[in-house]
Amino acid sequence: MVSRTLSPRELAEVIGVSQSSVKRWVDAGLIGVSRTAGGHRRILLADAVSFIRERNLDVLRPDLLGLPPRESESGQVIELTADRFYATLYEGQLDAARSMIVGAYLAGTSPAEIWDGAMAPALRRFGELYHHEQTGIFTEHRATALCQEVLAQLRLLMPEVADEAPVAIGAAPEHDPYVLPTLISDVVLTSGGYRTVNLGPNTPTQALEQAVEVYKPAVVWCAMVSPVSSVRLAELTATLSTVAQRAEVVAVGGRAAEAIDWPAPILRCGSMRDLEAALR
Amino acid sequence: MVSRTLSPRELAEVIGVSQSSVKRWVDAGLIGVSRTAGGHRRILLADAVSFIRERNLDVLRPDLLGLPPRESESGQVIELTADRFYATLYEGQLDAARSMIVGAYLAGTSPAEIWDGAMAPALRRFGELYHHEQTGIFTEHRATALCQEVLAQLRLLMPEVADEAPVAIGAAPEHDPYVLPTLISDVVLTSGGYRTVNLGPNTPTQALEQAVEVYKPAVVWCAMVSPVSSVRLAELTATLSTVAQRAEVVAVGGRAAEAIDWPAPILRCGSMRDLEAALR
DNA sequence: CTTAAATTCGTGCAAATCGTCCAATATGAA
DNA sequence: TTCATATTGGACGATTTGCACGAATTTAAG
């Protein structure tokens, strides 16, 4: 059974301080907390993670957070690099991949930085592998599935966004089958405090319009990898331009968005950091 | 199973404490209560809610607080669950959807039963909605994305499989873009104790062959929704037949696999329970 | 109605946490 | 260095919590 709350003693063990300090910090409002009817403190996992990230604390006991134990012998934190992450994906090791990503997140790296710095480069290498190596096709498919799972699980550690938070809506255009670009955009915008609605890959322009109509979003994103026919591109551009009159930010990104001249209000992002920066 | 009143055990699960504590609080007058003739405590939903609100308690299992259903016979419980899950997906509520699925899993329902009983019927309704309703396209996309996330997160709760466990490999054929069928198969096989390798949608037959070569799996599954051309079908059938000489179980499933006569060693599964049953 | 399985009853007890105080250890300015 | 200040870790009795136990009650199925 996975416990979703921590006692002061448990959080103290995780970060290697005394219970007294945790209790004091909680009482000072530095850590989110709720109380049992008897007055005992109960700390939500997401609140603990937020606190650890804000203060740049080391995680000595990841197992108490429901995460796999650290694998390095020396107790040193393994730095997340594109090469190491690529090697892990190439081996198909889900647990190792997850602890690398979660570890980087706990250390304070933003999801956008994690993607741009490690995940995107690693996945790009799989794309190249696709053409050169015998087993390239299957390793690339496996890596994609692993990344999907890791990103979905990462969101469990992120603080919940308020119901009144502005909404961000995104999708990939029709005939674009790639799941990961919309998923990481979703994660980045969630970490930016937006309530996200991800319509996923292969979404007709009309469906995006419907969603915009319903949610009145502050942000709309479109992740484009596969080339788009000129007819559909015109349709998409028109829709996004209309949307831009109401939304604060309308962003497009991905390989297929690069060579295109987007009209003024539409922002083209070359990376997830660009997207993050576009939200002030 | 959901009633208008809660037992101490149920309320304890909702807020993440032991039933002993709830019983003490009730006896101390902190929670309104009525008793059965035999002396068992019955907590009105309204009393539970006001208690939770007074104390600002975190609700870990909101599904147990679901609206009181009308008197229903046991045979209709599954249908009712599918309806409620559909409604939750239709509203786009990730948290509620997750706690419904996780709640069922924690209550002992197997992933296969969860899929067959609630998720699959709900998603089927979205497929029909696609054609009838204005906003059908976008709600269907959103529902798919939510289910993906919920299933990925569900795996965090499942016990880890041993490194020496037999391997199961699966995929959806080339040009089949659907993510969920391979994902739920992955989850079902993981819960069955297999180390899974999910190659995801749109996987060329060749890639499946490569993966089989590398892993020597005990189980191979193929989830087919989109119709497959006869040429590719012949290719796929040949590959699966070859694989079946080494693997213990080779299973196919999905709408596109129904009308096809599969040669003897290949097993066609009409549901996730079928797949589960095929594993002895 | 009868029976068997599952749940809850009340109770007692060991472990964990409460709030508070105090000594020990940085931190920083005169 | 010296002194004032802030932070930390530990200790204390009182309170709260979680678990175990046999007995009683409820629920589900014939």
Side-chain angles (χ1 to χ4, degrees):
Chain A
M1 174 81 75
V2 177
S3 95
R4 295 202 56 72
T5 59
L6 299 173
S7 71
R9 157 134 183 116
E10 288 172 316
L11 178 55
E13 276 194 38
V14 168
I15 59 182
V17 299
S18 70
Q19 321 178 31
S20 298
S21 295
V22 172
K23 287 195 289 185
R24 210 177 315 107
W25 295 337
V26 163
D27 295 345
L30 279 65
I31 310 176
V33 72
S34 63
R35 300 262 186 167
T36 68
H40 283 204
R41 300 170 181 87
R42 289 294 133 89
I43 303 164
L44 287 179
L45 190 57
D47 285 330
V49 168
S50 300
F51 177 73
I52 291 170
R53 296 191 72 219
E54 286 167 10
R55 294 304 196 86
N56 273 358
L57 300 174
D58 287 332
V59 177
L60 306 177
R61 295 282 308 276
D63 53 307
L64 292 178
L65 297 177
L67 306 173
R70 236 193 330 221
E71 313 213 344
S72 72
E73 307 132 11
S74 58
Q76 289 279 332
V77 177
I78 305 177
E79 193 194 348
L80 174 64
T81 66
D83 284 350
R84 291 204 189 94
F85 190 65
Y86 171 81
T88 306
L89 287 182
Y90 190 87
E91 303 285 332
Q93 298 168 346
L94 171 63
D95 288 342
R98 177 172 52 224
S99 51
M100 286 178 74
I101 298 301
V102 171
Y105 180 72
L106 282 172
T109 314
S110 76
E113 290 168 335
I114 292 176
W115 175 263
D116 291 344
M119 301 186 82
L123 288 165
R124 220 174 291 129
R125 284 182 62 181
F126 279 105
E128 297 164 9
L129 206 66
Y130 212 98
H131 305 293
H132 299 316
E133 195 174 309
Q134 278 279 341
T135 60
I137 312 177
F138 115 76
T139 48
E140 194 260 0
H141 273 252
R142 185 181 55 183
T144 301
L146 291 187
C147 285
Q148 258 180 266
E149 185 157 348
V150 168
L151 286 179
Q153 295 174 349
L154 178 63
R155 297 197 18 166
L156 281 177
L157 299 178
M158 309 200 334
E160 279 189 29
V161 294
D163 286 345
E164 320 84 41
V167 174
I169 291 184
E174 201 165 2
H175 301 303
D176 188 324
Y178 292 97
V179 177
L180 283 175
T182 64
L183 184 53
I184 181 59
S185 305
D186 184 349
V187 171
V188 166
L189 285 160
T190 300
S191 81
Y194 288 85
R195 272 171 58 210
T196 56
V197 178
N198 177 15
L199 301 182
N202 194 23
T203 301
T205 308
Q206 190 197 349
L208 188 59
E209 284 176 6
Q210 292 169 352
V212 167
E213 190 67 27
V214 171
Y215 281 99
K216 320 281 186 194
V219 175
V220 174
W221 85 85
C222 190
M224 306 165 53
V225 177
S226 301
V228 180
S229 73
S230 56
V231 176
R232 292 197 186 284
L233 181 61
E235 183 183 294
L236 181 62
T237 306
T239 296
L240 290 180
S241 296
T242 308
V243 166
Q245 296 170 358
R246 289 191 160 193
E248 297 171 15
V249 177
V250 175
V252 298
R255 201 188 311 148
E258 284 175 6
I260 295 170
D261 266 339
W262 297 94
I266 302 177
L267 217 65
R268 195 185 70 77
C269 299
S271 67
M272 280 302 132
R273 285 203 221 197
D274 282 356
L275 176 60
E276 203 173 39
L279 315 171
R280 273 176 315 277
Chain B
M1 199 67 71
V2 180
S3 53
R4 199 172 58 263
T5 60
L6 300 174
S7 70
R9 160 138 184 107
E10 288 171 317
L11 178 54
E13 282 194 24
V14 168
I15 59 182
V17 299
S18 71
Q19 28 182 345
S20 298
S21 297
V22 173
K23 287 195 290 185
R24 254 190 312 271
W25 299 338
V26 164
D27 296 346
L30 279 65
I31 312 175
V33 72
S34 59
R35 299 261 185 169
T36 66
H40 283 202
R41 300 169 181 86
R42 288 296 127 90
I43 303 164
L44 289 178
L45 205 55
D47 286 332
V49 170
S50 48
F51 173 73
I52 290 170
R53 296 193 63 198
E54 281 170 17
R55 307 267 161 173
N56 266 9
L57 300 178
D58 290 312
V59 178
L60 273 54
R61 297 270 313 268
D63 55 300
L64 293 179
L65 296 177
L67 291 177
R70 48 185 187 274
E71 295 286 308
S72 63
E73 291 162 5
S74 53
Q76 299 175 336
V77 170
I78 291 179
E79 259 307 305
L80 184 65
T81 303
D83 284 348
R84 289 181 59 206
F85 190 65
Y86 171 81
T88 307
L89 287 182
Y90 190 88
E91 302 285 332
Q93 297 168 348
L94 171 63
D95 290 339
R98 175 171 54 223
S99 55
M100 286 177 72
I101 299 302
V102 170
Y105 178 74
L106 290 177
T109 313
S110 75
E113 291 167 333
I114 293 175
W115 175 263
D116 291 343
M119 301 185 82
L123 289 165
R124 217 173 292 128
R125 285 182 61 179
F126 279 105
E128 297 163 9
L129 206 66
Y130 212 98
H131 305 294
H132 299 317
E133 196 172 310
Q134 278 280 342
T135 60
I137 313 177
F138 114 77
T139 47
E140 195 260 0
H141 274 252
R142 186 181 56 182
T144 301
L146 291 187
C147 286
Q148 259 179 262
E149 184 156 351
V150 168
L151 285 179
Q153 294 174 347
L154 178 63
R155 297 196 24 163
L156 274 180
L157 299 179
M158 311 207 314
E160 282 189 25
V161 293
D163 287 345
E164 320 84 39
V167 174
I169 292 184
E174 201 165 0
H175 301 303
D176 189 324
Y178 293 95
V179 178
L180 283 176
T182 63
L183 186 53
I184 182 59
S185 305
D186 185 348
V187 171
V188 167
L189 286 160
T190 300
S191 80
Y194 288 86
R195 271 170 57 211
T196 56
V197 178
N198 178 14
L199 301 183
N202 194 23
T203 301
T205 309
Q206 191 197 348
L208 189 58
E209 284 176 5
Q210 293 168 353
V212 168
E213 191 66 28
V214 171
Y215 281 99
K216 320 282 188 196
V219 176
V220 174
W221 85 85
C222 191
M224 305 162 55
V225 178
S226 302
V228 180
S229 73
S230 56
V231 177
R232 292 198 187 282
L233 181 61
E235 183 182 293
L236 181 61
T237 307
T239 297
L240 290 180
S241 296
T242 308
V243 166
Q245 296 171 359
R246 290 193 159 190
E248 298 173 13
V249 178
V250 175
V252 298
R255 201 186 313 148
E258 282 175 8
I260 296 171
D261 266 339
W262 298 94
I266 301 176
L267 218 65
R268 194 184 70 77
C269 299
S271 66
M272 281 300 132
R273 287 202 220 197
D274 282 357
L275 176 59
E276 203 173 39
L279 315 171
R280 274 176 315 272

